[in-house]
Amino acid sequence: YLKISKLALAFAIIHSKPPGKSSKEYTEHLAKIVSKQDFGWKSKVEALEAEVLRLRQELLLNKICPRICLENDASAETLLDQGCIDPISYSSQLEDSGCDVSNDYAFDSLGIASDFHQSEHNVNTSKRWLERVPPLNLCCTGKEESLTVPVQFLQHLLEIRKLSERGILQADFTELENDSFTICNSVSQLLDGLTIFYNSPKFPLSNFLSEAVCVLISLITDSKLSNHVLKKCFKKLEEFKKNLIQIILRNSTVNRFQALHAVSHTLVLLARNNVLRNSLISLLLLEVRQFAEQLLQAHQIQAMYDITQYENIFLLCMILEQLLQNETEDSNVSSSDYDGEEKIKFLKNLDQIILHLSDEFPLFSLYLWRASVLLNSSQIQ
């Protein structure tokens, strides 16, 4: 039947082709028309899927917070004026790297915009929660478009959480267990949107992108919501961390330092969650160890090595050192919480690697030694 259908289609094309065009040219022309129609249908399906997700988000929010129980209007107003999501302040400036960067925004030592404060629009949005769940705004263009819906949904979720914690609202967060699809898709969209931005960043950072990072960190560090998110989205968060690490290692643009510092800082912020911090330490130990072994092999046979990765590996070393330092100082967290196997692999033959690389690569050898000292000191403690 399939062969007969193909033969019939071929005869139909041959008989209907316009004069002056070969059958091949006419077939290619028809194929383009059909592919455009398929693309149009695909766009419509994606738009409908986005609308379905938006409606599911609103429905979930209404299930979590079906009605408002105000104890004191004045106290509610005071709380909302202070901001429902605590902003993160960054005051230090990015040191001059010799690159031309904008002075419109202040960047901290790891490149994130200093202004993480909520805009007046968000405060007004929070106040409207005292009346009803506000509709989610879809008006956004460019790279931020994919972030708009998930950011606003997760932001509203955090606002309800803050208000319910203070007794201003009554909320039932067990509904998150009943609708894992919505929370998973929302977090996935947020992570995908941030990955797209970090792959080709534009500076200075917009307030919205800074806010997106703020919402993500607030979500994974919230005492109640983080459990739901990690349970449903752990694999996606792991993939996100791996993508950020690869973005750091592979970026070879000349004026890349500001962008890489922004990615680095996002990784450090993700480590505020203990579970994510432990897995991040394991990932960093793996990447640094593999590069050290490759560099040693290239050095022994006098072969070429990837200079871009060599320049960028120091950012991973700095992140690793910072996380290990924080872990050593934090008596409540044990180094055994993260992958012990990766730690053993990292320390195995490390002294020999440092010995062979120290003359040619003294700075990298120093970072390896400092990491080993921190690993051993945490084990002793």
Side-chain angles (χ1 to χ4, degrees):
Y1 177 79
L2 184 60
K3 289 181 180 179
I4 293 173
S5 299
K6 288 181 177 179
L7 187 62
L9 177 61
F11 274 110
I13 290 173
I14 291 170
H15 283 297
S16 63
K17 72 178 183 67
K21 254 188 182 179
S22 66
S23 297
K24 181 181 179 182
E25 290 173 342
Y26 186 52
T27 303
E28 291 173 350
H29 171 70
L30 293 176
K32 287 180 180 178
I33 294 175
V34 173
S35 63
K36 286 180 181 178
Q37 290 175 349
D38 289 342
F39 182 78
W41 280 111
K42 185 179 178 182
S43 300
K44 289 179 182 178
V45 169
E46 289 175 351
L48 290 172
E49 286 177 345
E51 179 65 12
V52 168
L53 178 60
R54 186 186 69 80
L55 293 173
R56 291 188 67 147
Q57 288 171 341
E58 289 193 12
L59 179 62
L60 179 58
L61 291 175
N62 277 295
K63 286 181 179 178
I64 292 172
C65 186
R67 61 191 182 88
I68 309 302
C69 292
L70 280 179
E71 293 181 357
N72 189 321
D73 289 342
S75 63
E77 287 293 321
T78 303
L79 174 64
L80 289 167
D81 286 338
Q82 292 173 352
C84 289
I85 302 177
D86 296 332
I88 305 171
S89 299
Y90 303 96
S91 57
S92 55
Q93 300 289 327
L94 180 67
E95 293 181 3
D96 184 14
S97 63
C99 304
D100 183 19
V101 296
S102 172
N103 293 323
D104 294 338
Y105 286 76
F107 287 84
D108 69 308
S109 59
L110 284 172
I112 291 291
S114 62
D115 185 10
F116 261 82
H117 292 279
Q118 301 298 315
S119 64
E120 184 179 353
H121 167 74
N122 296 327
V123 175
N124 291 335
T125 300
S126 303
K127 290 179 179 177
R128 288 201 298 273
W129 267 106
L130 298 175
E131 302 170 2
R132 65 180 182 85
V133 177
L136 300 178
N137 181 20
L138 292 172
C139 299
C140 197
T141 58
K143 294 177 185 176
E144 298 176 2
E145 184 177 356
S146 60
L147 288 171
T148 307
V149 174
V151 165
Q152 290 188 353
F153 165 68
L154 297 172
Q155 191 176 57
H156 291 165
L157 203 60
L158 287 163
E159 289 169 354
I160 294 175
R161 170 82 175 91
K162 294 281 185 180
L163 293 174
S164 65
E165 193 177 38
R166 290 161 172 80
I168 297 174
L169 297 180
Q170 286 186 348
D172 180 15
F173 287 96
T174 58
E175 289 292 338
L176 291 176
E177 294 289 347
N178 301 327
D179 191 1
S180 59
F181 171 84
T182 301
I183 188 74
C184 280
N185 272 30
S186 300
V187 173
S188 294
Q189 281 190 1
L190 174 58
L191 297 178
D192 289 341
L194 289 174
T195 302
I196 291 171
F197 166 75
Y198 284 131
N199 268 309
S200 54
K202 182 180 180 181
F203 291 97
L205 289 175
S206 70
N207 289 334
F208 183 77
L209 286 164
S210 300
E211 186 179 321
V213 176
C214 182
V215 167
L216 174 62
I217 304 309
S218 298
L219 190 68
I220 65 171
T221 54
D222 186 276
S223 58
K224 277 192 176 181
L225 297 179
S226 62
N227 293 330
H228 294 284
V229 172
L230 290 179
K231 189 184 297 184
K232 309 296 181 184
C233 312
F234 183 76
K235 288 184 179 179
K236 188 68 180 182
L237 285 163
E238 287 295 287
E239 180 187 339
F240 179 62
K241 288 186 295 184
K242 291 177 182 178
N243 288 336
L244 294 188
I245 289 173
Q246 292 306 312
I247 287 171
I248 291 176
L249 286 175
R250 295 174 181 175
N251 195 320
S252 59
T253 57
V254 176
N255 192 13
R256 66 183 181 270
F257 303 104
Q258 192 174 17
L260 293 186
H261 279 298
V263 179
S264 301
H265 194 201
T266 300
L267 283 171
V268 172
L269 291 175
L270 288 171
R272 290 183 176 183
N273 180 285
N274 289 339
V275 176
L276 297 180
R277 173 178 60 183
N278 295 333
S279 63
L280 178 57
I281 288 175
S282 296
L283 286 172
L284 293 171
L285 287 172
L286 172 65
E287 290 293 342
V288 174
R289 175 180 62 83
Q290 287 181 342
F291 180 80
E293 292 173 352
Q294 292 169 6
L295 188 63
L296 176 61
Q297 184 179 8
H299 176 63
Q300 288 175 337
I301 63 175
Q302 296 298 307
M304 296 292 292
Y305 62 92
D306 192 333
I307 187 65
T308 297
Q309 280 202 17
Y310 178 75
E311 292 174 346
N312 295 339
I313 198 70
F314 288 101
L315 276 173
L316 298 188
C317 291
M318 284 186 269
I319 297 170
L320 177 61
E321 184 175 328
Q322 182 177 344
L323 298 185
L324 291 175
Q325 184 69 41
N326 293 341
E327 187 182 66
T328 303
E329 294 171 355
D330 187 356
S331 58
N332 296 323
V333 181
S334 170
S335 62
S336 61
D337 288 340
Y338 57 85
D339 190 357
E341 183 181 352
E342 198 53 57
K343 175 182 174 180
I344 294 171
K345 288 180 180 179
F346 182 84
L347 293 174
K348 185 180 180 181
N349 300 326
L350 185 63
D351 291 339
Q352 290 297 318
I353 293 175
I354 293 174
L355 179 64
H356 286 93
L357 294 180
S358 57
D359 288 339
E360 192 73 23
F361 307 99
L363 183 58
F364 181 57
S365 300
L366 178 62
Y367 270 104
L368 291 177
W369 175 78
R370 286 160 66 104
S372 68
V373 169
L374 288 170
L375 285 169
N376 288 323
S377 63
S378 62
Q379 184 176 0
I380 292 171
Q381 287 188 355

